[in-house]
Amino acid sequence: MEERLEAVLKRYHEIESELMDPEIMQDFKKVSTLSKEQSTLEELVKKYEEYKKAQNAIKEAKSLVNDPELREMAELELTENQEKLETITKELEILLIPKDENDGKNVIMEIRGAAGGDEANIFAGDLFRMYTYYAEKNNWKIEVINEIPGTSGGFSQVEYMVKGENVYSKLKYESGAHRVQRVPETESQGRVHTSTATVAVMPEVEDIDIEIKESDLKIDVYHSSGAGGQSVNTSNSAVRITHLPTNTVVTCQNERSQMKNKEQAMSILKAKIYDNLEQQKNSELTAERKSKIGTGDRSEKIRTYNYPQNRVTDHRINFSIMELDRVMDGGLEPIITALITEDQRRKLEGE
């Protein structure tokens, strides 16, 4: 471990030197890349400095243990720093786990009502509200890109972008089928129904990540429409883009500008194609899939929201919390934390 940490420390100092080079300072792109790399190493370097400080304190305390006058103080210092070193070592092991290159990215989320008709669409709306509140708690910004309202409320489909710090690192665990168990408002007999909505979480894709040829696209423009099909405006501002090789279709009609709708539609298209490529690649790496929290597939049932018992259960890690009301108001952090902790544990064991 120390060899790896020394290599990280060496690289950190190399970046510091490079960023002071007048020639490199003229290259904005290079400075941005180096600064980003330095930022990813900073926490590890600081923790390693704490590690070395604790080691030195242990060494010093051991040298004083045989001194009759200082023995009691030295033994106390020794115990405290040995415990500290053990804690720091565990923290360093986690920090040394290879990071997901997408963790720092914004995400595009898609929520669809699935099995359960109107109730599924209403639940899709509830999930969108839950994620909106969770985003607010994290000081993230949400931009709706496309929405198809349900006839009785909620959404048949809603696509939106979440922007902020390390968004993907937390929301990446949300992909899959979410199941709700509750009495619908339309149920006169008071029976509990089960409905599902699917969630897809995709990292925002930059041009350098994936290239899409203009010749592979079919672009249609039309009048934006709202619930019931009524026209929202009279100009052809809505955009539908079809990627012919994969038959991937995306739509955006929330902006009044056709150009803005096209830009947002392209963002979704890139994210969807990239996500499909990643899933294909991961399905070939069976060992990696075994250690991963869930498949990320929308058909995988990942969580149940049981309203009569006020319980939320994440089936991937067998984690339950009796605070459904708080979770639906954006209190997702306990579940996200449990998922991250289990993910780290599995990766550590995999190493």
Side-chain angles (χ1 to χ4, degrees):
M1 185 181 78
E2 288 190 12
E3 286 180 6
R4 291 174 67 188
L5 289 166
E6 282 297 329
V8 168
L9 187 62
K10 182 182 177 184
R11 178 57 189 152
Y12 186 81
H13 291 318
E14 284 174 355
I15 294 170
E16 281 185 325
S17 298
E18 288 182 67
L19 287 172
M20 293 174 66
D21 187 326
E23 191 173 325
I24 289 176
M25 288 173 69
Q26 300 293 322
D27 186 341
F28 178 77
K29 191 174 180 181
K30 180 73 172 174
V31 169
S32 178
T33 302
L34 287 170
S35 297
K36 192 173 180 181
E37 186 183 355
Q38 184 185 45
S39 178
T40 61
L41 299 177
E42 195 166 11
E43 186 180 2
L44 190 53
V45 168
K46 286 182 178 178
K47 190 59 66 177
Y48 184 38
E49 287 173 354
E50 287 181 36
Y51 175 85
K52 290 197 289 185
K53 189 176 178 181
Q55 275 189 326
N56 290 333
I58 289 170
K59 189 177 179 181
E60 187 177 340
K62 281 181 177 179
S63 69
L64 298 173
V65 166
N66 294 324
D67 187 321
E69 293 182 6
L70 301 173
R71 180 183 298 157
E72 190 176 338
M73 184 189 72
E75 287 177 346
L76 183 64
E77 286 282 325
L78 184 61
T79 302
E80 285 181 359
N81 282 287
Q82 283 174 334
E83 290 174 357
K84 187 183 291 185
L85 187 67
E86 188 177 335
T87 301
I88 294 171
T89 300
K90 289 177 182 176
E91 291 172 342
L92 283 170
E93 285 174 349
I94 291 171
L95 288 171
L96 281 168
I97 295 172
K99 286 185 170 55
D100 186 330
E101 62 182 14
N102 293 319
D103 274 353
K105 292 184 178 180
N106 299 326
V107 305
I108 291 168
M109 292 187 72
E110 179 186 81
I111 305 174
R112 292 173 180 257
D118 288 342
E119 172 64 10
N121 292 341
I122 292 169
F123 180 50
D126 292 339
L127 289 176
F128 174 68
R129 174 179 170 273
M130 176 185 77
Y131 289 125
T132 299
Y133 286 161
Y134 182 61
E136 287 175 1
K137 290 176 185 289
N138 284 278
N139 295 315
W140 298 337
K141 183 181 178 184
I142 280 186
E143 294 177 4
V144 176
I145 296 171
N146 185 51
E147 59 183 272
I148 303 174
T151 53
S152 299
F155 297 101
S156 170
Q157 178 180 339
V158 58
E159 292 161 308
Y160 57 97
M161 182 172 285
V162 188
K163 295 182 176 181
E165 188 175 346
N166 296 318
V167 177
Y168 186 76
S169 69
K170 291 194 172 184
L171 291 179
K172 64 183 176 183
Y173 302 102
E174 296 303 297
S175 286
H178 295 240
R179 182 175 69 172
V180 63
Q181 294 174 326
R182 65 185 176 189
V183 179
E185 292 179 12
T186 54
E187 171 56 55
S188 58
Q189 303 297 319
R191 291 173 298 186
V192 174
H193 287 225
T194 298
S195 306
T196 58
T198 60
V199 176
V201 180
M202 299 160 282
E204 183 183 18
V205 181
E206 300 170 6
D207 289 336
I208 55 171
D209 293 323
I210 186 168
E211 183 181 351
I212 296 177
K213 296 178 182 176
E214 199 70 38
S215 58
D216 288 339
L217 301 178
K218 179 177 180 288
I219 301 175
D220 301 304
V221 294
Y222 56 96
H223 287 188
S224 299
S225 61
Q230 72 267 30
S231 178
V232 174
N233 60 61
T234 55
S235 63
N236 288 331
S237 61
V239 176
R240 181 190 300 110
I241 303 178
T242 305
H243 184 245
L244 300 173
T246 60
N247 198 33
T248 304
V249 182
V250 297
T251 302
C252 184
Q253 61 175 9
N254 274 44
E255 300 288 342
R256 299 189 71 85
S257 160
Q258 184 187 124
M259 184 178 293
K260 286 184 178 179
N261 280 329
K262 184 181 176 183
E263 285 176 5
Q264 291 192 334
M266 281 301 297
S267 294
I268 301 175
L269 182 66
K270 287 178 182 179
K272 284 191 172 183
I273 292 173
Y274 180 80
D275 188 55
N276 287 334
L277 290 172
E278 285 295 295
Q279 288 204 34
Q280 287 173 20
K281 184 170 72 176
N282 285 337
S283 65
E284 296 167 6
L285 303 172
T286 53
E288 181 186 334
R289 302 304 290 171
K290 285 177 184 175
S291 66
K292 196 170 182 182
I293 298 285
T295 63
D297 193 297
R298 259 181 275 178
S299 63
E300 181 193 17
K301 183 183 74 175
I302 66 165
R303 197 174 294 150
T304 295
Y305 303 74
N306 186 300
Y307 275 71
Q309 297 177 18
N310 197 37
R311 185 186 73 235
V312 182
T313 299
D314 196 290
H315 304 289
R316 295 163 296 180
I317 57 173
N318 197 27
F319 176 87
S320 290
I321 184 170
M322 310 301 286
E323 297 179 0
L324 182 144
D325 49 347
R326 292 185 183 181
V327 170
M328 298 311 291
D329 283 336
L332 265 171
E333 202 60 42
I335 301 174
I336 299 291
T337 300
L339 286 161
I340 291 172
T341 301
E342 177 62 14
D343 194 20
Q344 289 172 344
R345 186 192 67 78
R346 292 186 189 184
K347 284 176 179 173
L348 281 169
E349 287 186 356
E351 287 183 349

